[in-house]
Amino acid sequence: MSAVLFAAGIAGTVTNVSVTVVTSALAREWGVPLSTTAVAVLGLNVSMAFVMPIAGLVAGRRGMRAVLLGGGFVLGASTILLLFAQDVFVLAIGRLGQGVGLAAITPTAIQASNNLLPLGEHAKALGWWSAANGAGLALGPVLGGALFDLGGWRLVPLPTLLIALLVVGSTASGVPNAIRHEGSVRL
């Protein structure tokens, strides 16, 4: 479960900031206004905000494992789309998809750890999640900028693809099928 939380923490931060840091370089490369490129990049945050409550409701009904796996697959698929992005429209679609995947991953991983782990173990797992967030915030900009300088836009989404695989793998091995939590709001 700690691996799931670690993957969730690093997924959100690296996915967000590794692309954000290259926004202006991407706008120049594609010959698009910076404001337009920034709106496309921020699509992740917009879709994440709208989908997060829905993901929580679905996790209560279908199970947390299903939502985590679905989030990992959506994050991976939208990141693969970004590998082929050559314009702002595809960038926007990919970033919206990444937000949907992350909306399913992060809060569901935290809730799953709360339901699966005893209090002391839950605190340790949340510590790993916090460490992953900090590491992602520190590494994401450096990683995004270095990969862009090294090989252009196509390399920037690669770490997120690897992280999506980590989310799916750790969920498959660490989260049982039967875990659900239905709150007071029903789908």
Side-chain angles (χ1 to χ4, degrees), residues 62 81 102 118 155 157:
R62 298 284 180 209
L81 177 66
L102 290 172
L155 294 182

Side-chain angles (χ1 to χ4, degrees), residues 70-156:
F73 285 122
V74 169
L75 179 61
S78 57
T79 301
I80 289 170
L81 177 66
L82 286 177
L83 292 172
F84 300 101
Q86 295 181 358
D87 59 40
V88 175
F89 180 75
V90 176
L91 175 69
I93 299 298
R95 291 295 281 179
L96 288 167
Q98 285 183 321
V100 169
L102 290 172
I105 293 168
T106 302
T108 307
I110 292 169
Q111 183 63 42
S113 73
N114 186 45
N115 289 353
L116 285 172
L117 300 174
L119 188 58
E121 292 299 312
H122 177 65
K124 287 180 195 174
L126 284 179
W128 280 108
W129 176 72
S130 295
N133 276 300
L137 285 173
L139 294 173
V142 174
L143 195 56
L147 290 172
F148 190 86
D149 288 346
L150 183 67
W153 164 247
R154 297 216 191 293
L155 294 182
V156 174

Side-chain angles (χ1 to χ4, degrees), residues 24-75:
S24 62
L26 199 54
R28 279 192 306 276
E29 182 178 303
W30 289 347
V32 178
L34 178 58
S35 60
T36 303
T37 308
V39 167
V41 168
L42 291 174
L44 176 146
N45 304 90
V46 172
S47 64
M48 192 172 180
F50 281 101
V51 174
M52 201 175 282
I54 296 166
L57 294 171
V58 173
R61 184 163 185 112
R62 298 284 180 209
M64 293 180 193
R65 178 185 171 109
V67 171
L68 284 166
L69 289 173
F73 285 122
V74 169
L75 179 61

